[in-house]
Amino acid sequence: MTVRRDFKEPARCRPDLLIGREELFTAAREQLVRGGSVLLHGPAGIGKSTVLRSLAAEYTGTAGTVLRCSATESESHLPFLALADLLGLVVDKVSGRLPAAQRTALESALTGRGESTLQRDGLALRLAVLSALRALAAEGPVLVVADDLQWLDPASAELLGFAARRLGDTPVQLLCAVRTEGQEYDRHLRALPPDSLAVRLNPLSRPQVSDLLIHRGYTGLPRSTVRDIHRTSGGNPLFALELGRALAENPTPPRPGEPLHVPTSLRALVLSRLEMLSDEARRTLLVASAGARPTLALLHAAGRDNAEAETAQAAALGLLATEPEGPAVRFAHPLISAALYAEAPALERRAAHGALSTAASDPIERARHLALATTGTDPEVAAALAEGATQARDRGAPSVAASLGLLAARHTPTDIVPGPDERRLQAAEDAITAGEVDLARDIAREVLTRATVPADRVRAWMVVIESAGQALGDVDAVFPQALADAGDDPRLLALVHYQLAWRGLVVQGDFAEGREQAAHAAELAARAGDRRTELLALAFQAQTETLMGHPGAPATINRALREPQDPQVACHHNGPGLTRFRWLLMSDQLAEARTTVTALLREVRRRGMVESEVHFLRLVAETELRSGHCGRALDLARESLRLARDSGIGEVASALLASFAEAAGGDVDRALALAQEAADHAEVDGDQMYVSRALAALGHAQLVAGDAPGAVRSLRRVRELELGLGITDPARGRWHGDLAEALVRTGELAEAQELITVTREHALRLSRECVLAVLDRAEALVRAARGQHEAALGQLTSAQDRLAKLGYGLEEARAAFALAALRTRRPGPTSYDEAARLFRRCRALPWLRQVEAAAVPPPAEPAVVPTPTLDALDGLAAMERQVAALVMEGATNREIAGRLFISVKTVEATLTRVYRKLGIRSRVDIVRLAAGRRTT
């Protein structure tokens, strides 16, 4: 299936791409462009025909003749059928150019007249096919497109292979697809030229399956369901689409813990071999399909006494994968297990689960099987499931805990405590922890339709708010309802006011409001004895105070870090651990910050806290980026972004950090695209805080890309937004140095100096040493642009030394780059060695490319003829005089931009004004002025 990529690159520059097949599509296309042939191979339904059609459609325009055939299994016994498909429409065109014997043999094979056979007319027929292809190629390139090569009749396959092996330099290419299991495609390559490229299509990843389903219109599926579709389909696109269609057509979802419904079309596809199994073997496979990790020992414990022989029979039929080294019983494809389970009567399913409920050694598995073997409510079963959910939560498997919690609620009578709704809400909170926000929201909405207990209702509202993520504006109407349900209960009010603190920050863009709500929530929670909510509220209050530069921030941080601590909150991405990390990072304590955030990441992974994992991955990447480890930062940022997109959590934050990492160590164009994407999403969400952060990333990427005017526009807006938010700590976004440098490049020196002066006051008050060093680097650029070269050199040297001591490798390298440009009037190949060494150490590839470009010697200026006019020079502005003076010295536009720390575009614009004021037409005339001044 083809889709058009729709983000960040002009449509005219992007071809239609196949979901999840971009790289192999490009490789196959390049092979065809080189004149080679391609064999696509993989299992049924993996998308070979789709890729084949797309390649053929793209390449058809360059081929003079396209020959096609598509065989089927039912027709594979008919000799020469594929040959007739390929040559039937062109035989009249070429037959006159064939020798008589070859022409007779070919016409006989294609028409069926004369009963031609390979045994009787073998050589003549083989040569006829080769001659026909050569005759067609004499008029232009020929492309042979053959789908389902495995179903070609043997005679046609033999003839095609004979010709392919002898075509040599003849412009005939083959584009074929064949169904294979594993890697057994070699024998099919005999039907293609010797240098053909074999391309295997592998299963799609979960995000790719999600994209596929969305493109086909299955947009309402929860992420947990998409995960199940991916697991059941094994990443096979055809299977995934059929499962998605079945779910869309069936309004009743499967029970918690059960496999997905498998449509009849897929059951027939994968279960045709089941009819050859004995009834007992089929029952054994049903028990295996119901188990989470079936082994022969488990099957024996579940009463399947002949498990070895019965699984061996299934393996011989291709239903099970053979693993002689291990005890596991593994189905050849996940869909076989799901289809077998779906095909079984409900009574047999319950019997299988009943057997496994006593056979399984894991208490969580026993509880799940007990639930699926039981109908109706049962307090003992419900209690066992609730205990299993607790154990799963403690093991760091919140997704399993959510599934067991829903099963517990299903079997809980309405007249006991805890009731079914309370267990559903616990399951929803586990789903939030696991990153399954769609499932959590659906559970909470269902509870709200009938719950009357205030505590249950407020708890459900909190799940609805949490599942909205950064898009809190979408649930604005929830807050009044939650406050009304909370009444005057301080514990419930603390929950609501904590979320109101987030609303104040995200929706209203008001740090002061967020701080007040958080402080109120902490007070209410302390009064109610709710330490968990108190810690979250204190952590939030501490973060807002830090960003505001509030003098009470250190005291609030200490309150948040006091004992007793809640283990779940301590490592939460909005907990005290994060607050301490942020303080360390903003205070330039990079080593301790890295140790802290790495420990937090390790703990949330152990607990299965997906949302926190997304954020802490990003923060580890940010720490590595600050330390100048750009390659490591890029890998971590990309991993965080993949996980964020897979789970639907923290996408904006991960995208903007990935933008910074790409600008530092990857691809600048991708950095620009990611930053713009993050800014657009934050705008849609109404998230003022992340709008400013995304624009800071965009401005930085624009600066690295050489677009100083664009960087100024983006970063000026960041300044406006942060003033409105009440953020005064420049260590929060660290964009001030970028804006000052961009302003210097555009010639707006006064604004740059004003920004540096104001920001320095805040940085001095808060002891932000790195920010101060970066501001000094920017101020040195201002001084250099004003001609104060000695002062600029001293300030840059000091800034570089301080940044090196603080451990900010990339900022140190940027200072070295500025120093090299300032020290060297005529850059040579060794002028930038120190900057290149530092950027190389950081793996800062985009910056390294800039250094290499700056170090290339400029072309020599042509000789000029002197001219005597010079009085008009006195009427130029300061910047114009500096530019004109450097032109008089013979500097190129690029050299002028480097020495004055402005963009080449600014140099060009300044020169245009100089020409107009002096009444001249080119830089040659300026040089003549200089020559005239020297001779007078």
Side-chain angles (χ1 to χ4, degrees), residues 710-730:
V712 168
R713 287 192 299 273
S714 298
L715 296 174
R716 275 175 175 163
R717 189 168 173 218
V718 174
R719 180 174 57 187
E720 294 169 3
L721 287 168
E722 292 205 351
L723 284 172
L725 288 166
I727 297 173
T728 61
D729 192 332

Side-chain angles (χ1 to χ4, degrees), residues 53 84 136 197 294 433 443 469 471 514 608 664 701 883 902:
R53 286 193 298 270
L136 290 169
L197 174 69
T433 301
I443 295 170
V883 171
I902 59 178

Side-chain angles (χ1 to χ4, degrees), residues 343-650:
E343 189 80 1
L347 189 61
E348 290 187 17
R349 291 188 214 168
R350 287 198 294 273
H353 286 296
L356 288 168
S357 69
T358 58
S361 59
D362 186 271
I364 295 175
E365 274 300 293
R366 286 201 303 271
R368 184 178 76 87
H369 290 303
L370 182 62
L372 294 173
T374 305
T375 58
T377 59
D378 186 318
E380 293 184 4
V381 171
L385 286 162
E387 176 59 27
T390 300
Q391 292 186 37
R393 197 176 305 118
D394 292 342
R395 290 183 189 178
S399 180
V400 175
S403 177
L404 292 174
L406 288 175
L407 285 170
R410 185 184 185 94
H411 292 286
T412 300
T414 57
D415 57 349
I416 69 169
V417 177
D421 280 345
E422 190 171 348
R423 282 178 167 154
R424 286 189 183 92
L425 289 170
Q426 180 61 64
E429 290 164 357
D430 287 330
I432 287 282
T433 301
E436 298 178 10
V437 292
D438 296 335
L439 174 62
R441 182 184 58 246
D442 292 344
I443 295 170
R445 293 286 188 189
E446 179 193 352
V447 169
L448 286 166
T449 60
R450 58 176 175 269
T452 57
V453 177
D456 288 348
R457 292 188 61 81
V458 171
R459 194 174 172 187
W461 288 127
M462 295 304 100
V463 171
V464 172
I465 293 170
E466 286 277 357
S467 64
Q470 297 296 122
L472 288 177
D474 293 347
V475 292
D476 231 10
V478 165
F479 291 98
Q481 300 177 70
L483 282 170
D485 285 330
D488 57 1
D489 186 326
R491 184 176 65 86
L492 300 181
L493 285 171
L495 293 172
V496 182
H497 281 281
Y498 173 67
Q499 295 296 345
L500 282 169
W502 279 105
R503 178 184 177 278
L505 181 62
V506 172
V507 179
Q508 296 175 262
D510 189 336
F511 270 65
E513 170 68 14
R515 176 185 175 275
E516 289 179 13
Q517 291 285 359
H520 187 39
E523 179 188 344
L524 288 166
R527 195 192 316 162
D530 180 359
R531 182 62 173 163
R532 181 181 187 279
T533 303
E534 182 187 9
L535 288 170
L536 287 169
L538 286 171
F540 183 97
Q541 181 184 345
Q543 287 202 60
T544 55
E545 288 175 349
T546 298
L547 296 175
M548 295 168 67
H550 193 284
T556 308
I557 292 173
N558 288 333
R559 287 176 60 198
L561 293 172
R562 283 179 198 154
E563 295 295 339
Q565 288 287 321
D566 181 307
Q568 189 88 359
V569 175
C571 64
H572 192 273
H573 61 279
N574 289 323
L578 175 73
T579 302
R580 180 171 181 272
F581 161 76
R582 274 291 176 206
W583 179 264
L584 291 169
L585 192 65
M586 294 173 71
S587 302
D588 303 319
Q589 300 177 58
L590 293 180
E592 194 171 352
R594 182 188 294 107
T595 300
T596 299
V597 73
T598 302
L600 289 168
L601 176 61
R602 186 166 52 246
E603 181 63 14
V604 298
R605 280 176 165 167
R606 187 186 72 80
R607 293 175 175 271
M609 299 167 66
V610 174
E611 183 173 8
S612 293
E613 180 181 357
V614 170
H615 289 292
F616 287 137
L617 260 175
R618 172 175 55 82
L619 296 174
V620 174
E622 182 179 350
T623 308
E624 297 293 351
L625 193 59
R626 298 249 180 264
S627 303
H629 305 149
C630 299
R632 171 72 173 151
L634 184 60
D635 291 341
L636 288 164
R638 287 173 174 173
E639 183 182 353
S640 173
L641 184 58
R642 281 194 298 270
L643 183 58
R645 286 178 168 164
D646 191 11
S647 62
I649 295 170

